[in-house]
Amino acid sequence: MGVRLMVVDDHRLLAEALASALKLRGHRVLAAAAPTAGAAELVVSRAPEVCLLGTSAPAEPGAFDPIVRIKRDRPQVAVVVLGPVPSPRGIAAAFAAGASGYVRHDERIEGVERAMIKARAGEAAVAPQLLQGAFTELLNPAAQPDDEGQRLLRMLTPREIEVLVRVAEGEDTRVIAAGMGIAPSTARTHVQRVLMKLGVGSRLEAAALAARTGLLDRALLTGPTGAGSGAGPMPGTDAATQ
């Protein structure tokens, strides 16, 4: 039997894509919402069986406040967090707030589905490798952990950062071109370069990687600059950016 659920994520493209995939698998999606700021009120009013709550910064103060509110007013709702590879503190904070599970943003849809079903049944839904990684980090903490989001951000020009933000917002090539005041062919070139630099094959993968690593939040802080990258056309077809 399908799960009655809600998908909440600050990044609309991710929420809608995940909701669509779960609908196709027979689940009843009550809402795919953004941002998470109003998540608690929405979940409390709709009372799903499971809430998939996306976060790109599980270590940030208050990241799991919506879970506290949900569990206080709707204790029967199972909350599964979708986030980046968590630190031990991230996992602990999620469960301390009342979460029933933690799933990586880049998990396959089958893994998300299994976590939902386990959480609905009252079981803890955390992949063994996540727990193993958490224990490993606790026992052997890295002196200077690699900041993947910052590393990837340094690879992009200001214009490409703006393109990435627009891609994550779900804009297609024509809308990106109009918003940036450039030709559609130039917009396609910028999108292709962003995908190439991030090492992904689609817009959805780029948005997921940006959310998982915190790259998108950093990009939003920089804001659009309107500065050109000076990059010329690159080989390839438009198929990867449609």
Side-chain angles (χ1 to χ4, degrees):
M1 186 174 69
V3 177
R4 193 176 73 255
L5 72 135
M6 290 179 58
V7 182
V8 180
D9 197 299
D10 277 332
H11 306 304
R12 187 184 66 218
L13 181 64
L14 298 183
E16 292 179 351
L18 181 56
S20 296
L22 290 169
K23 283 180 182 177
L24 290 174
R25 299 178 75 87
H27 300 288
R28 182 185 174 194
V29 181
L30 302 180
T36 55
E41 290 75 13
L42 190 59
V43 173
V44 168
S45 66
R46 301 298 294 274
E49 294 176 303
V50 176
C51 171
L52 297 178
L53 180 69
T55 178
S56 58
E60 289 293 318
F64 301 123
D65 285 353
I67 302 178
V68 175
R69 164 75 192 284
I70 292 167
K71 298 305 290 186
R72 184 188 70 212
D73 294 347
R74 293 283 187 181
Q76 73 276 19
V77 175
V79 181
V80 176
V81 175
L82 303 176
V85 179
S87 67
R89 289 190 183 91
I91 290 181
F95 278 89
S100 299
Y102 194 110
V103 180
R104 285 175 49 158
H105 259 144
D106 58 355
E107 177 62 77
R108 295 174 64 87
I109 190 67
E110 294 85 359
V112 176
E113 190 174 38
R114 284 194 298 270
M116 288 165 31
I117 293 170
K118 289 184 69 174
R120 183 178 64 175
E123 302 175 35
V126 187
Q129 59 267 33
L130 284 186
L131 287 178
Q132 182 179 6
F135 283 123
T136 299
E137 185 177 334
L138 283 171
L139 294 172
N140 303 287
Q144 293 182 328
D146 179 43
D147 188 338
E148 187 180 3
Q150 184 62 37
R151 178 179 63 80
L152 292 172
L153 190 61
R154 284 196 296 263
M155 296 169 58
L156 303 176
T157 67
R159 179 57 61 92
E160 289 164 353
I161 291 171
E162 183 177 357
V163 168
L164 175 62
V165 171
R166 292 178 179 275
V167 165
E169 288 297 317
E171 295 184 5
D172 62 22
T173 302
R174 288 185 298 275
V175 176
I176 291 174
M180 297 177 66
I182 57 178
S185 60
T186 303
R188 282 194 292 270
T189 295
H190 286 317
V191 173
Q192 288 173 334
R193 286 189 177 275
V194 169
L195 299 185
M196 180 185 69
K197 288 184 176 183
L198 296 183
V200 297
S202 71
R203 293 166 179 258
L204 183 57
E205 288 181 79
L209 177 65
R212 176 172 62 82
T213 61
L215 188 161
L216 186 57
D217 290 326
R218 292 175 184 272
L220 288 169
L221 288 176
T222 68
T225 64
S229 67
M234 64 175 288
T237 68
D238 295 345
T241 63
Q242 295 303 315

